Amino acid sequence: VQLQASGGGLVQAGGSLRLSCAASGRAFSSYAMGWFRQAPGKEREFVATIFWNNGKTYYAEFAEGRFTISKDNAKNMAYLQMNSLKPEDTSVYYCAVTSLSDLENVDRMKATSPLMPDYWGQGTQVTVSS
């Protein structure tokens, strides 16, 4: 599986960006596509994830109400719409694919952990100026 993230850029605080992740190749029968981010000097953290088969979504607390993850099955694309951006959202954003086991509690843990993805995209820089 290859993942290509795009859509990052420079935006003023309060602005919006839409990140895209294009997936190619054969993934798992059950998987999630998620977004993670990593700022300089910080550990990579979970942002949002969407289960490919049923569309279930989970968000990090800081993303709730501001970010929306979505998918286009036909195009094998996932998106992250980010609104009301803040300077602290400045980071490199990565898309990732995590295999799932169809056990809800286990899958939620796997899909929201930056340690569990099976495949990573290359990252796209998001910079929010104050």
Side-chain angles (χ1 to χ4, degrees):
V1 174
Q2 291 188 325
L3 303 172
Q4 182 75 33
S6 61
L10 173 64
V11 64
Q12 288 190 328
S16 298
L17 280 175
R18 187 193 194 208
L19 306 184
S20 299
C21 181
S24 61
R26 186 168 182 173
F28 309 97
S29 59
S30 182
Y31 61 96
M33 189 172 289
W35 290 95
F36 298 80
R37 70 184 189 183
Q38 188 167 19
K42 294 189 175 181
E43 294 191 351
R44 193 166 296 188
E45 63 179 349
F46 166 72
V47 178
T49 191
I50 187 164
F51 287 13
W52 208 256
N53 289 347
N54 62 20
K56 196 169 186 65
T57 59
Y58 296 101
Y59 294 91
E61 190 172 334
F62 64 79
E64 285 276 10
R66 297 192 299 130
F67 296 0
T68 302
I69 189 169
S70 61
K71 63 184 177 72
D72 185 327
N73 285 36
K75 296 181 179 179
N76 248 9
M77 297 280 295
Y79 306 97
L80 185 68
Q81 178 67 43
M82 303 187 294
N83 299 327
S84 303
L85 283 163
K86 305 174 182 179
E88 51 264 43
D89 293 318
T90 295
S91 196
V92 177
Y93 284 71
Y94 298 88
C95 61
V97 164
T98 304
S99 60
L100 302 178
S101 57
D102 292 331
L103 298 173
E104 184 172 353
N105 290 339
V106 172
D107 286 347
R108 179 174 184 169
M109 181 275 295
K110 287 188 69 177
T112 59
S113 169
L115 303 178
M116 300 305 292
D118 299 275
Y119 300 99
W120 290 95
Q122 87 286 6
T124 184
Q125 176 71 46
V126 171
T127 303
V128 185
S129 62
S130 56

